[in-house]
Amino acid sequence: MRAFVVTAPGESSVQEVDAPIAGPGQVVIDVHRVGVCGTDVEFFTGEMQYLHEGHAAFPMRLGHEWMGVVSAVGPDVDTGWIGRRVTGDTMLGCGQCRRCLRGDQHVCAFRFEVGIRGGFPGALAEQLAMPVSALHALPDEVDDVLGALVEPGGNALRSVWGAALQPGDRALVLGPGTIGLLVAMFAKAQGAEVHLMGRSERSLGYARTLGFDGVWDADSLPDLPFDAVIDSSNAPTLPGRAVELVEPAGRVVFVGLAGSPSLVDTRSIALADVTAVGVLSASPGLAGTIEQYASGAVDPRGLVAATVGLDGAAGILAGERPDGAGPGPKMHIDPRISAHD
């Protein structure tokens, strides 16, 4: 099969590789759509921390935001999975340690992360092998575009849960990229008054078209009491700013990651009785995201600006926007699209 392989920072190609075979407890999925995110870009540039900590190494196959159709099952897997539209968890725990046994496999010290950690091949390929235990079936109401937005949506939904928003609460989201906009959408669906702060005029302009209560840059942000501040940016200065902006007894959620350490004065947290929450993965939020997409409570399909084939993946990872791309921040890849389509 064809797969997109990163061989070194900035170096990649579409290669012919062995197609996966479903072993015990596994299925093979024909991949229909894959989202590209900031983590993939960091691997492509060589900046991703996992490369420097030994959790990942080149060559590697990226892709952890995906959906597809089950085409084969292992010898012990229910054949009823064949033909089902699915997405799946990125975090694959060992299943035996204390964290896994208490349901926290997404922080298992021995986990694989699909397309990210431990050499587990990702979805930027025509097919993907996955443990059946990590699958989430997609209802008909969740189309292919939404299916590939479940994983980032899970991170966003967990961030909103971490903010403990009630109807009428005022929330500020820092960073109007894909995760920030998804956070804002879920928060709005929860009945919150939602504001966003960013710096790119293009991203701010797009966010203003989505009907939020306020979209600001750092200079124009009004002096309002924010019950929760959710940092979905990659700016090392914003975690500290989030703590400054939140109301006493409010909540700060950190879902964005900077490329360098962020400094937060814990005195500002303690003396204002602020609750700080960290969000690592989508895992506990995947089912809830599928439910909200299926009901129509949240519909982020407009975030996807363009869809290209595997041959266009390198350009997307290098920051290129395809001709005719829409205004949204998200790029998708469909491995079924050939270079000649």
Side-chain angles (χ1 to χ4, degrees):
M1 69 170 184
R2 299 172 76 237
F4 178 78
V5 183
V6 181
T7 52
E11 297 181 13
S12 63
S13 61
V14 177
Q15 301 179 9
E16 288 289 333
V17 302
D18 292 337
I21 298 172
Q26 291 185 327
V27 304
V28 171
I29 296 133
D30 292 342
V31 180
H32 284 195
R33 193 170 279 257
V34 189
V36 175
C37 87
T39 299
D40 300 316
V41 173
E42 287 186 12
F43 275 118
F44 187 71
T45 62
E47 296 171 285
M48 212 291 177
Q49 195 64 25
Y50 278 0
L51 291 168
H52 307 288
E53 294 175 348
H55 295 308
F58 297 121
M60 64 185 301
R61 284 163 39 193
L62 303 173
H64 61 280
E65 304 176 2
W66 59 271
M67 69 74 54
V69 175
V70 177
S71 58
V73 299
D76 57 344
V77 176
D78 183 354
T79 56
W81 280 101
I82 295 176
R84 297 191 74 178
R85 300 171 60 254
V86 296
T87 187
D89 201 337
T90 298
M91 308 302 214
L92 309 179
C94 71
Q96 300 174 2
C97 69
R98 180 173 181 269
R99 297 173 192 172
C100 284
L101 293 176
R102 72 185 184 200
D104 294 330
Q105 95 286 342
H106 60 293
V107 289
C108 169
F110 312 104
R111 70 186 179 274
F112 291 96
E113 297 180 27
V114 178
I116 295 175
R117 175 178 166 134
F120 197 100
L124 281 179
E126 292 176 323
Q127 291 186 313
L128 170 70
M130 284 286 291
V132 68
S133 59
L135 297 186
H136 288 260
L138 296 173
D140 292 341
E141 295 82 2
V142 178
D143 65 12
D144 287 7
V145 179
L146 287 173
L149 287 166
V150 168
E151 197 279 340
N155 281 282
L157 180 57
R158 288 194 65 212
S159 300
V160 172
W161 288 345
L165 292 169
Q166 302 296 319
D169 282 353
R170 182 181 290 119
L172 174 64
V173 181
L174 306 179
T178 297
I179 295 295
L181 292 173
L182 284 165
V183 168
M185 289 178 176
F186 280 109
K188 184 178 179 181
Q190 200 101 330
E193 176 187 324
V194 180
H195 296 256
L196 294 104
M197 187 183 91
R199 59 185 180 186
S200 159
E201 200 44 56
R202 186 182 66 79
S203 62
L204 291 173
Y206 176 66
R208 290 189 181 103
T209 70
L210 301 179
F212 299 115
D213 295 284
V215 178
W216 319 93
D217 60 23
D219 295 328
S220 64
L221 182 71
D223 184 14
L224 294 172
F226 294 107
D227 302 295
V229 179
I230 301 168
D231 177 24
S232 60
S233 76
N234 59 5
T237 58
L238 285 185
R241 184 86 175 108
V243 173
E244 295 171 0
L245 289 167
V246 74
E247 274 285 277
R251 298 173 78 89
V252 174
V253 180
F254 302 111
V255 63
L257 290 174
S260 58
S262 303
L263 298 179
V264 175
D265 188 342
T266 58
R267 294 172 298 182
S268 300
I269 295 175
L271 293 174
D273 203 40
V274 166
T275 300
V277 179
V279 174
L280 169 67
S281 85
S283 301
L286 294 172
T289 298
I290 292 170
E291 289 173 8
Q292 293 213 33
Y293 288 176
S295 72
V298 174
D299 182 357
R301 284 174 289 190
L303 300 183
V304 179
T307 303
V308 301
L310 289 173
D311 299 281
I316 297 295
L317 288 163
E320 298 174 9
R321 291 184 71 84
D323 292 341
K330 192 60 152 181
M331 299 292 172
H332 274 180
I333 292 170
D334 183 344
R336 301 167 298 173
I337 297 175
S338 74
H340 308 293
D341 290 346

